Amino acid sequence: MNTSWHKKSTEGEGQRSVAVRSVERALEGRYATYLEEVSRLVEAGVRVMQRNGDFEPPVNEILREAGLSNQAFYRHFKSKDEFLLAVLDNGVRELVSYLQHRMEGVESATERIRRWIEGLLAQGLNPEAAEATRPFVVPQARLAERFPEEVADSVRQLTVLLAEAIAEGLEVGELSGGDPERDSRAIYDLAMGWLQRSLAEKRVASSEDADHILNFAMRGLLRAEPER
């Protein structure tokens, strides 16, 4: 009888099940370990960037901060740019969660739009938020050249919240005319461009400028459909 674990006999299936469970247990342990390593590296990288104001810190400095080896770094990342992409992704996910929280429980679509814009602009107005946001916002443009799809996905994670609110505003009549996808991207480009410039210059952003951007964007969305 052929007892190879991958054969589809009754005995073979039983042996395969045991083998697969053994592999899964081994991988589960490694997964938890590797996930912890990646988290430590990303958190260490952010701390180093915040401390030094350097958005491309040396790998050895990140490793010292994380207490991990060179082998651990390159087990998860092929290059420092790939590591910075992980920092970007982690930061965007945290920002998305923050914006979602600001928009939760607000019935008016127009008010949810306003809260999204205010939330993004706030990253440049609050010194603590600016320090947390700078490491993943400033390198974004450069990373987009090498990882266009990944960075575009990060942008979509942010703009989908705004696009959904705009679409609802159009549906219920709070807004008159518009294109949710294009409008959300235009507002994102406006607000993020201002934010990137403020954070790159390491200056306290002007609340008056932020209010102007907010009001400008809202006027654009609330405009009447132009006559053709």
Side-chain angles (χ1 to χ4, degrees):
M1 180 183 297
N2 189 331
T3 58
S4 175
W5 69 273
H6 63 278
K7 296 296 182 180
K8 293 186 178 180
S9 64
T10 303
E11 184 177 359
E13 279 297 304
Q15 291 176 344
R16 181 179 183 279
S17 178
V18 171
V20 168
R21 287 200 300 270
S22 298
V23 171
E24 288 176 344
R25 282 196 300 271
L27 290 177
E28 183 179 353
R30 289 185 182 181
Y31 178 82
T33 298
Y34 290 167
L35 184 61
E36 181 187 7
E37 287 181 351
V38 170
S39 297
R40 286 170 62 183
L41 288 166
V42 169
E43 291 170 3
V46 171
R47 288 196 300 270
V48 170
M49 285 186 269
Q50 290 175 338
R51 186 168 63 238
N52 299 346
D54 181 0
F55 304 120
E56 294 191 35
V59 171
N60 60 357
E61 192 167 354
I62 296 170
L63 294 175
R64 281 199 302 272
E65 183 75 20
L68 293 171
S69 67
N70 198 62
Q71 181 182 11
F73 184 92
Y74 289 103
R75 175 164 47 240
H76 305 297
F77 306 107
K78 295 178 181 178
S79 65
K80 187 165 64 176
D81 276 354
E82 194 171 276
F83 167 75
L84 293 174
L85 183 66
V87 173
L88 167 67
D89 180 71
N90 184 71
V92 166
R93 290 177 186 277
E94 291 184 356
L95 181 55
V96 168
S97 178
Y98 166 73
L99 294 175
Q100 284 176 325
H101 179 71
R102 286 183 58 88
M103 299 168 76
E104 282 176 0
V106 179
E107 293 186 4
S108 166
T110 305
E111 182 58 26
R112 288 204 303 279
I113 293 168
R114 179 180 292 274
R115 291 199 178 191
W116 186 98
I117 300 171
E118 287 175 337
L120 185 58
L121 296 175
Q123 306 309 302
L125 298 174
N126 181 291
E128 185 176 343
E131 286 301 311
T133 306
R134 188 176 288 113
F136 72 87
V137 167
V138 173
Q140 182 182 21
R142 188 181 66 76
L143 290 172
E145 295 180 8
R146 183 169 180 187
F147 306 102
E149 293 183 7
E150 290 84 349
V151 173
D153 182 64
S154 293
V155 173
R156 281 192 294 270
Q157 290 181 55
L158 288 167
T159 57
V160 68
L161 299 173
L162 183 57
E164 289 173 352
I166 293 173
E168 183 178 337
L170 291 169
E171 183 179 349
V172 301
E174 291 184 30
L175 303 177
S176 177
D179 182 322
E181 295 298 327
R182 289 181 174 178
D183 289 350
S184 62
R185 184 57 191 257
I187 293 171
Y188 169 85
D189 287 342
L190 175 65
M192 183 58 77
W194 173 84
L195 180 60
Q196 287 176 330
R197 185 173 65 254
S198 299
L199 295 178
E201 294 174 357
K202 300 180 182 179
R203 61 178 173 82
V204 177
S206 165
S207 59
E208 292 182 358
D209 287 347
D211 288 342
H212 180 78
I213 290 172
L214 171 63
N215 293 329
F216 180 84
M218 295 305 299
R219 284 198 304 270
L221 287 173
L222 293 169
R223 72 191 186 286
E225 187 70 14
E227 295 181 1
R228 297 184 181 278

